[in-house]
Amino acid sequence: MALVELRDLTKRYQTEAEVISVLENVDLDIEAGEYLSLMGPSGSGKSTLLNLMAGLDQPDSGTITIDGSEITSLGPNRLADWRANHVGFVFQFYNLLPVLTAFQNVELPLLLTNLSKDERRERVEVALNVVSLSDRMEHYPRQLSGGQEQRVGIARAIVSDPVMILADEPTGDLDAASAEEILSLIERLNSEFNKTVLMVTHDQHAAGRAHRMMYLEKGVLHQ
Amino acid sequence: MKIPILYNLRSLRARPTATLTTALGMALVVAVFIGMMALSIGFQAALVETGSTENILVLRRGADSELSSGINRDVANAISALPFVAKDSDGEPLISPETFVVVGLERRNGGMANVVIRGVSPKAFDVRNGIRITKGRTFRPGSGEIIVGETLVKRIPNTEIGESLRFAGRDWEVVGHFAAGGSSFESEVWGENELFMPVFRGEVFQTIALRMEDPSAFEGVVETLEADPRLAVDAQLEREFYANQGTLLGDLLRFLAVFIAGVMAIGAVFGAVNTMYSAVDSRAPEIGVLLALGFKPRSVLASFVVESMLIALLGGLIGCLIALPINGLVTSTTNWNSFSEVAFAFRVTPPLLLAGIVFALVMGVIGGFLPARRAAKRPVVEALREVGS
Amino acid sequence: MKHARLVWKNLTRNKRRSTLTILSVGVALFLFAALQSVLTALDATSEVGSESRLITRNATGIVFPLPEAYTQRLRSVDGVEAVSWANWFGGTYIDSRNYFAQFAVDEGTFFSMYPEVQIDPAQLEAFNGEKSGAIVGQGLMERFGWSLGQTIVLQGTIFPGDWEFVIRGVYEPDNPSFGDENMYFHYDYLFENSGEAATPGWFIVRPSDPNLATEVAARIDGSFENSSDPTKTETEKAFQAGFVTMWGNVGFLVRAIGTAVFFAILLVAANTMMMSSRERVNEVAVLKTLGYRDGLLSRLVVAESLAISVVGGVIGLAAASVMLRNNEMLGSILPGYTVLPSTMLQGLAIAIVLGLISGLVPARQAARLSVVDALRRVA
């Protein structure tokens, strides 16, 4: 069985003027350990697909099964729990809490667990090590560069050891050099740590770094 | 609570103006509340202090205050012979029949004050509680000398030692000042009962204060006195009597405290609601992240309510600080029950300060609830969409 | 005025915030009106005492009575037209919390001295014909649900015993500050049943020429100076004013609270304005690029804060006026308690000042905003 199975997934949006079809009967299988990229025109629903897979949104019809659990049938509280354990999200604009240090931002997901303070510290340090930011643990987001902030974002995404990393335009706001760093990091997460990665991007070059490329247009997924 | 309070504390610090102005608004409400309650507590404390639990106060039956009472000598003598009256070291009954009038005297800063002139027996200093001469000496029997309560000296002229107060058509020389533990006696002028009687209301006493041999048996004493038809008196534990004298005004002050502070609180809470809504709106991305990470909506709700309470706590503490200096400030008013002016000090007690803090926290909870709910209910997707704007 | 739409759009941009702030200001002005009216009512009670009626009492203190014989001597003082007298009864009706004033009066001379006390002539006659008759104010009838002809019992405190009275008349004052919760009964009834010698508590004197009231007062006191009971005579107005001072420093307390309320709500209003202005940085910048002047933009901000505080103020003052006017409970503690037009005007002025101050800082910020800095944030 694949790690991720999307079956007959449909999502539509209603504006004042018309109904927009974002996803139409989408089927997708993702095996554990795969690294996928998803491209498509602006507003084509790439982010919607990610949100659905993370359990942040509900489809109009169809099912999403991840690691054996059919998340489309879970209520909001169970989804939250599930999300904390199974998904790591990386955002385009990093979304770090500005009032917390890098360390504290990475620690956030672990506060949902029963781990002791020392156990949490250990994992945070490991995560920050992976992204090579151990020397900036006590810095605030405003004291970090864009690339460094995104690395903190990635550390936060992996700290609770999720099965799947969902990245929404992770390099969209970065300069070329930083973007390259981030892409290499994501590759490492996949090759060294065996994380399944789905990356949404409109950057052709970034998309090419994945094992498999997909294209979403007018609600149809081309694989 | 899963979301660390540190997040709330730092967020408050990141918007200092909004936090401080909201907190200050609440601080003022708490300060007014504490101030007015301190007024009420101080007033009633002065009256309660006045009475002892070891004494019985006897008035004519039906009289509701010392002023309207009238007891003649025979009755006074009969009571002093009763067995439950305590005796001093010379075997004399510890009983003080007293005359009580209210006289109009001019205040130092203009206006008239109704001052109590109490004619006491020499035994009064042993019977009545905690009276001590602080300056000069007590009056000599038969001399027409008077002593003045400490708080009165500051408010009425001609009350220094050696000066003379004029009332009832003659001058009375002031020979001493006395203190009485902050009770209403300190707002009185004391002289000899026998000398005051012919000048004022004739051969009647207004009050009889007596010390009980066995204070624990006071109920029996009251019964005995009230049951005797020859005496025709009402008897009450001294402390209870004076405490009740303050009910009308005390209740009014307390009502005003709650009413005014309550109405003010509505205004302050509206301010807090605005501040919290603004915080929730501007931190939409952060809330989205927290929800995306797996924190439950109710944790987010709790977090914002706590943040509102933190602002309120700050306001409460500042309010207590503002109100503290009032403690001990002396003011005076006329007690309607006894028609006499009573000086008392504002009293800010620890329970009152605690009540002020609780009041503030309640404002915080009420003010923060709706905005917090909005934060918790916001669909994650929407929240995240506001990223980077 | 052509910019009114901009101001309006800004106000309605965040309706919840504007509404809450308006209500806050409303609450503050409501309190102001309530508190200020306490002061005006206290002043009014001292106004009520006519300047052409004199009160003669025992110089030692109000609690001391005067000899009945003084009646004749007073009548013979030069300039005195009429003399009446009264005594304070101080009884309790069931519970001491049911407080109201009771006076034993000389029916023949008292009511002609007090034209403010308006009674139906038939009722007055019935009262005069009945020894234990009583005339009570309309307010008391409503407060206790009494009816004409009903017998009530008061427990005497100064004059002990249970006293029965029959309500034979109801009066209404022609001036609300006079109070409609007084009770009057026969002086003779009091002293025939009290076992004490009849002594008036005080005399009421009408001088033949009201303009000479003060001289007559001095003359009266002069003639009793060396008697056993010297008198103190003053106009009724001064007499009432003396009672007002008995309350203590109410004025100070009211003003202190009022100040606290003002600042608390000023903080709320200012905070609102600052939050709004922080969110509109971009728009202000864009307007400036279009050619809007700094001065105009800052005036628009002030217009917005004024709109909030004036609307809030009007709401609060109107609410106070409606709720506190003719309020029964307040009227029995402080007769004539009402919200005067002068109070409303003062309140409006305060609301305007509030609006000006709360808009000050944001207005300055709008004027000084640098377009370049602001627009950099947009992209």
Side-chain angles (χ1 to χ4, degrees):
Chain A
M1 207 183 70
L3 181 69
V4 178
E5 288 179 1
L6 305 179
R7 292 281 177 271
D8 215 19
L9 210 57
T10 303
K11 181 81 183 174
R12 301 192 181 99
Y13 280 120
Q14 183 99 22
T15 67
E16 280 195 27
E18 55 191 323
V19 175
I20 302 178
S21 195
V22 178
L23 295 170
E24 283 290 335
N25 306 102
V26 168
D27 284 330
L28 175 64
D29 276 9
I30 304 179
E31 301 294 332
E34 279 203 74
Y35 179 2
L36 267 64
S37 68
L38 178 60
M39 291 186 62
S42 281
S44 61
K46 314 190 292 290
S47 300
T48 307
L49 188 59
L50 278 189
N51 288 339
L52 285 172
M53 285 174 64
L56 294 173
D57 200 357
Q58 294 283 36
D60 291 329
S61 67
T63 61
I64 303 175
T65 310
I66 301 184
D67 203 13
S69 315
E70 196 192 301
I71 63 170
T72 33
S73 65
L74 293 180
N77 278 340
R78 298 272 299 280
L79 265 180
D81 291 339
W82 176 87
R83 191 161 52 243
N85 291 319
H86 290 84
V87 177
F89 222 107
V90 180
F91 302 93
Q92 177 179 5
F93 292 106
Y94 335 129
N95 276 346
L96 301 180
L97 267 55
V99 297
L100 297 180
T101 62
F103 181 95
Q104 288 161 341
N105 267 291
V106 175
E107 195 191 15
L108 266 182
L110 296 180
L111 294 175
L112 294 167
T113 66
N114 292 326
L115 297 172
S116 74
K117 191 162 170 195
D118 291 328
E119 286 171 318
R120 292 201 301 267
R121 169 162 278 274
E122 222 185 283
R123 297 209 186 182
V124 170
E125 285 176 357
V126 166
L128 282 170
N129 213 345
V130 169
V131 304
S132 307
L133 267 184
S134 305
D135 56 339
R136 294 224 191 253
M137 276 196 281
E138 300 304 323
H139 285 204
Y140 286 93
R142 64 176 180 275
Q143 296 167 305
L144 303 172
S145 72
Q148 288 167 334
E149 281 193 73
Q150 191 60 296
R151 283 194 267 162
V152 174
I154 292 178
R156 181 180 63 192
I158 60 173
V159 77
S160 53
D161 211 15
V163 297
M164 187 170 66
I165 308 275
L166 301 175
D168 192 353
E169 309 268 11
T171 57
D173 207 45
L174 299 173
D175 61 85
S178 310
E180 179 55 41
E181 277 178 27
I182 297 302
L183 286 175
S184 303
L185 194 45
I186 294 180
E187 262 180 327
R188 260 185 77 205
L189 290 180
N190 176 251
S191 59
E192 253 183 71
F193 298 97
N194 249 319
K195 301 287 176 207
T196 310
V197 177
L198 175 57
M199 178 175 70
V200 160
T201 179
H202 62 257
D203 178 358
Q204 191 96 10
H205 174 72
R209 303 278 282 263
H211 300 160
R212 191 155 52 120
M213 280 170 53
M214 294 185 297
Y215 202 78
L216 186 61
E217 185 170 11
K218 294 203 174 96
V220 179
L221 191 64
H222 305 278
Q223 305 192 34
Chain B
M1 219 224 16
K2 297 266 176 62
I3 302 181
I5 297 197
L6 190 65
Y7 168 62
N8 303 110
L9 282 171
R10 298 260 187 84
S11 301
L12 287 176
R13 242 196 350 179
R15 4 167 57 213
T17 342
T19 305
L20 270 175
T21 47
T22 311
L24 272 177
M26 292 193 182
L28 285 170
V29 177
V30 170
V32 166
F33 173 71
I34 294 181
M36 294 200 64
M37 288 297 286
L39 191 64
S40 166
I41 294 177
F43 172 70
Q44 297 210 279
L47 291 172
V48 165
E49 291 286 304
T50 306
S52 149
T53 48
E54 296 182 340
N55 292 350
I56 295 283
L57 213 64
V58 178
L59 300 178
R60 183 184 58 198
R61 174 159 303 151
D64 64 348
S65 72
E66 294 180 271
L67 189 62
S68 38
S69 165
I71 305 176
N72 63 37
R73 265 190 214 284
D74 299 335
V75 173
N77 289 336
I79 295 180
S80 61
L82 289 171
F84 46 70
V85 178
K87 312 265 186 297
D88 67 6
S89 44
D90 300 322
E92 296 284 317
L94 277 173
I95 187 168
S96 177
E98 300 174 355
T99 64
F100 181 105
V101 294
V102 172
V103 155
L105 296 175
E106 261 196 51
R107 287 206 190 107
R108 277 191 203 274
N109 49 6
M112 293 289 278
N114 284 333
V115 178
V116 171
I117 313 269
R118 188 183 293 271
V120 304
S121 95
K123 288 271 179 305
F125 298 91
D126 297 316
V127 177
R128 298 284 202 173
N129 228 7
I131 315 287
R132 44 178 195 98
I133 303 286
T134 53
K135 221 171 149 187
R137 57 174 174 79
T138 185
F139 56 83
R140 280 170 309 170
S143 63
E145 295 165 346
I146 56 174
I147 55 175
V148 178
E150 275 194 334
T151 53
L152 206 57
V153 175
K154 301 186 195 103
R155 290 180 286 127
I156 310 286
N158 299 324
T159 49
E160 291 295 344
I161 315 261
E163 288 184 319
S164 289
L165 261 182
R166 187 175 180 81
F167 53 84
R170 57 162 280 193
D171 291 317
W172 307 78
E173 193 191 344
V174 179
V175 297
H177 295 164
F178 68 94
S183 68
S184 57
F185 291 139
E186 283 182 9
S187 299
E188 299 181 356
V189 172
W190 282 19
E192 194 189 346
N193 49 6
E194 296 293 339
L195 275 189
F196 281 161
M197 281 165 97
V199 173
F200 286 144
R201 297 164 79 168
E203 289 293 297
V204 283
F205 297 109
Q206 272 67 54
T207 325
I208 299 186
L210 62 93
R211 176 75 58 84
M212 291 181 283
E213 184 68 42
D214 177 12
S216 60
F218 75 89
E219 275 161 359
V221 173
V222 168
E223 256 188 67
T224 315
L225 285 169
E226 293 191 340
D228 192 333
R230 298 167 301 153
L231 300 178
V233 294
D234 282 337
Q236 206 174 358
L237 201 61
E238 194 187 18
R239 168 153 285 197
E240 259 180 54
F241 174 78
Y242 284 110
N244 291 340
Q245 290 277 293
T247 42
L248 223 63
L249 193 53
D251 285 348
L252 178 68
L253 286 174
R254 226 188 337 268
F255 167 75
L256 283 176
V258 173
F259 177 72
I260 293 178
V263 173
M264 264 181 94
I266 296 177
V269 164
F270 285 165
V273 172
N274 274 340
T275 301
M276 289 311 296
Y277 265 120
S278 172
V280 165
D281 286 343
S282 68
R283 273 147 64 188
E286 292 170 35
I287 299 171
V289 166
L290 287 170
L291 289 172
L293 286 176
F295 285 92
K296 300 224 176 60
R298 63 166 181 265
S299 297
V300 172
L301 178 105
S303 178
F304 277 94
V305 170
V306 165
E307 189 162 321
S308 180
M309 284 170 76
L310 285 173
I311 300 181
L313 182 63
L314 178 65
L317 288 171
I318 298 178
C320 286
L321 282 176
I322 298 178
L324 263 179
I326 300 181
N327 192 30
L329 213 68
V330 175
T331 185
S332 63
T333 188
T334 300
N335 185 5
W336 300 344
N337 289 77
S338 66
F339 203 67
S340 53
E341 185 165 295
V342 173
F344 57 96
F346 280 81
R347 228 189 244 206
V348 180
T349 61
L352 183 58
L353 290 172
L354 190 63
I357 303 270
V358 169
F359 189 6
L361 288 174
V362 169
M363 282 197 279
V365 168
I366 298 178
F369 184 72
L370 283 177
R373 217 163 70 116
R374 182 186 164 97
K377 286 203 157 184
R378 172 171 289 198
V380 183
V381 179
E382 264 184 49
L384 292 176
R385 204 175 285 149
E386 292 189 33
V387 168
S389 54
Chain C
M1 261 306 111
K2 60 189 173 200
H3 301 298
R5 180 183 302 150
L6 257 180
V7 176
W8 175 256
K9 279 274 174 278
N10 284 334
L11 280 172
T12 52
R13 181 194 307 256
N14 190 334
K15 295 201 186 74
R16 185 212 331 114
R17 178 188 296 160
S18 299
T19 310
L20 287 179
T21 312
I22 289 176
L23 288 177
S24 283
V25 175
V27 156
L29 266 305
F30 175 86
L31 262 183
F32 162 77
L35 291 172
Q36 182 69 10
S37 299
V38 168
L39 292 181
T40 56
L42 283 178
D43 280 343
T45 46
S46 58
E47 292 293 323
V48 120
S50 129
E51 281 194 322
S52 54
R53 265 194 305 255
L54 299 172
I55 303 290
T56 298
R57 56 181 166 92
N58 193 314
T60 307
I62 183 67
V63 305
F64 298 100
L66 290 169
E68 247 187 356
Y70 279 24
T71 321
Q72 276 307 112
R73 289 176 62 178
L74 277 171
R75 288 200 173 114
S76 63
V77 169
D78 192 21
V80 168
E81 187 176 271
V83 172
S84 184
W85 57 94
N87 208 314
W88 178 267
F89 182 63
T92 309
Y93 179 61
I94 302 172
D95 187 285
S96 64
R97 282 167 207 245
N98 297 332
Y99 170 84
F100 59 93
Q102 306 122 24
F103 303 95
V105 303
D106 175 53
E107 61 282 339
T109 53
F110 184 83
F111 293 105
S112 54
M113 291 281 231
Y114 281 93
E116 296 95 323
V117 178
Q118 302 186 319
I119 316 168
D120 181 285
Q123 291 180 359
L124 188 56
E125 250 201 74
F127 166 73
N128 284 335
E130 176 135 17
K131 270 208 167 148
S132 60
I135 294 191
V136 304
Q138 178 63 24
L140 283 176
M141 298 292 280
E142 284 165 18
R143 183 170 159 195
F144 296 118
W146 291 337
S147 44
L148 211 51
Q150 180 174 342
T151 303
I152 59 172
V153 179
L154 299 180
Q155 283 85 45
T157 56
I158 309 173
F159 303 92
D162 288 339
W163 295 73
E164 275 189 14
F165 299 94
V166 184
I167 301 177
R168 284 295 173 211
V170 180
Y171 82 86
E172 279 203 34
D174 68 357
N175 176 343
S177 300
F178 186 86
D180 62 355
E181 296 204 356
N182 295 338
M183 173 174 141
Y184 304 101
F185 63 94
H186 294 285
Y187 180 83
D188 290 335
Y189 178 63
L190 174 61
F191 287 104
E192 273 162 26
N193 293 308
S194 74
E196 288 182 24
T199 47
W202 64 90
F203 287 93
I204 307 122
V205 175
R206 185 169 65 226
S208 36
D209 182 357
N211 296 322
L212 299 174
T214 352
E215 278 99 341
V216 176
R219 217 171 291 148
I220 293 175
D221 289 342
S223 73
F224 289 104
E225 210 175 326
N226 299 312
S227 310
S228 52
D229 293 289
T231 59
K232 184 170 157 76
T233 308
E234 50 190 351
T235 63
E236 195 178 25
K237 180 170 169 159
F239 180 67
Q240 297 274 54
F243 278 98
V244 170
T245 62
M246 277 173 30
W247 280 79
N249 215 340
V250 181
F252 174 75
L253 187 69
V254 164
R255 267 182 278 279
I257 298 175
T259 311
V261 170
F262 176 79
F263 278 103
I265 301 306
L266 176 63
L267 286 168
V268 171
N271 195 16
T272 295
M273 290 308 302
M274 286 196 280
M275 285 193 288
S276 305
S277 74
R278 227 179 286 140
E279 291 162 8
R280 273 186 243 141
V281 165
N282 299 328
E283 292 163 32
V284 173
V286 170
L287 285 173
K288 286 199 183 187
T289 59
L290 290 178
Y292 274 70
R293 291 195 182 175
D294 296 349
L296 175 60
L297 289 170
S298 69
R299 277 200 303 279
L300 289 180
V301 170
V302 173
E304 189 183 331
S305 66
L306 268 178
I308 291 181
S309 56
V310 168
V311 169
V314 166
I315 294 178
L317 290 170
S321 170
V322 164
M323 297 211 286
L324 300 177
R325 216 183 271 261
N326 296 326
N327 184 304
E328 262 182 36
M329 188 191 72
L330 291 168
S332 53
I333 308 180
L334 262 187
Y337 183 89
T338 188
V339 181
L340 295 173
S342 60
T343 304
M344 307 268 274
L345 279 175
Q346 283 177 309
L348 199 58
I350 291 176
I352 293 177
V353 169
L354 193 82
L356 287 173
I357 299 181
S358 63
L360 211 60
V361 170
R364 233 165 55 125
Q365 284 178 337
R368 284 161 147 222
L369 183 72
S370 147
V371 176
V372 174
D373 286 340
L375 288 182
R376 192 178 299 155
R377 293 197 228 173
V378 177

